[in-house]
Amino acid sequence: MFAAIIDYRYYPFLGDINSVLRMRYPGLRLKDVIISRENYARKRSLELLKTILSKRSIREGTGTSDEEIIAFYTLLLIIKVLNDKKLANVVALAYSKYAYEKLLKEPLNSLVNVAQLLGIDAKLERNAPLIPVDFKRKKPIFIAKPISMSVKDYLRFTANRLARDPKYALVNQIVDHGVVFLEKEVFVRVLEEAIYRKIIVLYNSIYEQELPEDLINEAKKVIEETGWVKQRVMDIELEEKAKGIIDFSAFPPCMSVILEKLKAGENLSHQERFAIAAFLARIGLDVDTILEYFKNVPDFNEKIARYQVEHIAGLRGSRKKYLPYNCETMRSLNICPVSDYCKGGKNPLAVYWFNVKRKILSKKKRGK
């Protein structure tokens, strides 16, 4: 079977910018290619920036594969020059969701090819396992699991954000000799996670290059017009407001790490979101203040987030105010960053109040 051709217009993060420049613009740097305001890739990068910030989505472009690759890397470099990791997370999420919709329409061999470009050793199975799911006229209806990948890779991309969804649980998949067999929709969702991480790795590893000064100024204008700068100022104001209620320096390591990820706009797992929401509610923050933190999450939906936070805080449903996971559970979910237990107890809340009391006692002793 021949390898499927990848349409880089939809998946520009899979392209190699250096190869594109060498082949299409030999001897030129990226800065030279996008120097003109009328250059497609340059205009497209600003269009992408505006659409992602205002709508958290991507509109399909009209350029060639090479132009879309250049536009994507130009956008990534703009963010790098501006040193805005939070914005990089928003871009990564928008592209991964855009890719997900496109991948659902791709033939299976194209999906496997995309996976391999993402470093996933996936294969198309000739004798795909068939799972009976229903009966029609006394005949079984089957779902095929035509794509296989290693269990190790599968867990790498599902053990975090997808871990609590039964649809992606390993126990609900067919596994044989270290290989998991998947239906198309599940496999595409795994690829979405892999794409998000791929873009974040690209952002972190790409070296900052000189870009046309007027392009950076145009990008700053777009960022300001979309309200992104205002939101960043609000983040600082929120931090000052919260300082009067809680003691950030007393946070256990797990909550400090999750809060920093939240502030940086990273795409947190469901477990991380629950843990930090329950923790913040228990130590005294009101729902509106907690939601201000969650506005940093790339896929933030205020209506859904408010309902969930109010439920966790005991203001809805059973009116039960939830505790964050205990330390043992945090370890099992792989969201505990330390190798040993913290002093003060085996729950992040107990550790926090232990640290607060210890600081109070220390101040009293110094006062004496």
Side-chain angles (χ1 to χ4, degrees):
M1 183 181 292
F2 293 102
I5 297 174
I6 299 297
D7 193 336
Y8 290 96
R9 292 177 302 166
Y10 306 141
Y11 319 113
F13 41 81
L14 297 175
D16 182 357
I17 182 64
N18 293 321
S19 296
V20 170
L21 292 175
R22 277 198 306 271
M23 295 292 293
R24 187 161 178 174
Y25 304 101
L28 294 182
R29 299 168 299 170
L30 179 61
K31 177 185 177 181
D32 303 323
V33 174
I34 58 174
I35 194 71
S36 169
R37 289 177 180 267
E38 298 307 310
N39 176 267
Y40 172 84
R42 172 177 169 145
K43 290 193 293 185
R44 172 69 169 156
S45 69
L46 293 171
E47 175 196 308
L48 285 164
L49 181 62
K50 183 175 182 178
T51 307
I52 290 171
L53 283 178
S54 59
K55 300 184 180 298
R56 296 296 193 269
S57 63
I58 290 174
R59 291 178 185 161
E60 191 168 315
T62 59
T64 64
S65 291
D66 286 348
E67 287 173 328
E68 293 298 332
I69 291 171
I70 295 171
F72 168 76
Y73 277 93
T74 300
L75 173 61
L76 216 57
L77 277 168
I78 288 171
I79 301 169
K80 192 76 172 185
V81 170
L82 297 176
N83 192 28
D84 195 336
K85 188 175 180 181
K86 179 179 174 182
L87 180 51
N89 282 299
V90 173
V91 168
L93 186 68
Y95 260 107
S96 64
K97 289 188 177 299
Y98 176 73
Y100 173 83
E101 297 299 328
K102 296 295 181 184
L103 288 167
L104 284 174
K105 300 172 185 176
E106 298 279 9
L108 294 178
N109 57 336
S110 291
L111 297 182
V112 170
N113 203 11
V114 168
Q116 291 171 347
L117 289 173
L118 289 166
I120 300 171
D121 186 16
K123 295 177 182 177
L124 195 56
E125 296 293 329
R126 291 183 178 179
N127 299 311
L130 299 174
I131 308 300
V133 293
D134 203 351
F135 283 88
K136 187 175 183 180
R137 295 177 183 175
K138 297 183 179 181
K139 291 184 179 181
I141 299 173
F142 296 93
I143 286 182
K145 307 273 187 173
I147 302 174
S148 67
M149 63 187 293
S150 74
V151 169
K152 183 179 179 182
D153 272 346
Y154 184 75
L155 290 176
R156 183 157 58 103
F157 296 112
T158 61
N160 195 2
R161 283 175 43 76
L162 304 179
R164 295 183 73 189
D165 190 333
K167 184 175 183 179
Y168 304 101
L170 189 62
V171 294
N172 292 329
Q173 311 303 330
I174 296 178
V175 181
D176 183 45
H177 291 85
V179 173
V180 58
F181 298 85
L182 305 170
E183 60 195 85
K184 180 178 181 178
E185 186 181 346
V186 172
F187 185 65
V188 170
R189 185 64 182 86
V190 172
L191 292 182
E192 181 186 344
E193 287 296 308
I195 287 166
Y196 174 83
R197 297 191 196 184
K198 163 82 172 179
I199 295 172
I200 294 301
V201 169
L202 283 173
Y203 171 77
N204 289 331
S205 60
I206 196 170
Y207 66 92
E208 186 178 321
Q209 299 179 33
E210 187 181 357
L211 293 176
E213 188 176 344
D214 59 340
L215 172 60
I216 297 299
N217 290 333
E218 287 178 74
K220 287 179 179 178
K221 185 177 180 181
V222 169
I223 288 171
E224 188 171 349
E225 288 173 350
T226 54
W228 184 256
V229 174
K230 183 180 178 181
Q231 180 60 49
R232 299 295 270 172
V233 171
M234 288 174 64
D235 289 344
I236 297 170
E237 292 175 351
L238 172 64
E239 194 78 4
E240 291 302 313
K241 175 186 175 183
K243 278 180 183 176
I245 305 169
I246 61 178
D247 185 350
F248 291 103
S249 66
F251 273 36
C254 56
M255 294 302 158
S256 291
V257 169
I258 297 174
L259 187 65
E260 286 306 311
K261 289 169 73 174
L262 191 61
K263 286 155 60 178
E266 294 189 28
N267 205 17
L268 302 184
S269 68
H270 294 297
Q271 296 96 324
E272 288 172 315
R273 295 180 195 209
F274 172 84
I276 193 65
F279 178 80
L280 293 175
R282 280 279 181 166
I283 64 174
L285 285 192
D286 58 65
V287 169
D288 287 330
T289 305
I290 295 172
L291 284 173
E292 287 299 324
Y293 279 109
F294 274 89
K295 284 181 180 178
N296 291 322
V297 176
D299 58 354
F300 177 75
N301 180 305
E302 183 161 3
K303 184 177 179 181
I304 294 173
R306 179 174 290 279
Y307 176 85
Q308 292 172 337
V309 172
E310 287 180 351
H311 186 79
I312 291 168
L315 302 176
R316 284 181 179 268
S318 64
R319 303 286 172 172
K320 174 186 175 183
K321 195 170 185 178
Y322 285 84
L323 286 167
Y325 304 118
N326 62 34
C327 297
E328 201 60 47
T329 303
M330 297 284 283
R331 285 173 182 277
S332 69
L333 294 171
N334 199 31
I335 51 179
C336 173
V338 298
S339 58
D340 201 356
Y341 288 106
C342 300
K343 288 183 179 180
K346 295 187 177 181
N347 183 287
L349 270 178
V351 175
Y352 173 75
W353 291 120
F354 173 81
N355 290 339
V356 169
K357 289 175 184 177
R358 188 169 58 177
K359 289 182 69 176
I360 291 171
L361 289 173
S362 177
K363 286 181 180 178
K364 284 183 178 180
K365 286 180 181 179
R366 287 199 303 269
K368 289 180 180 178

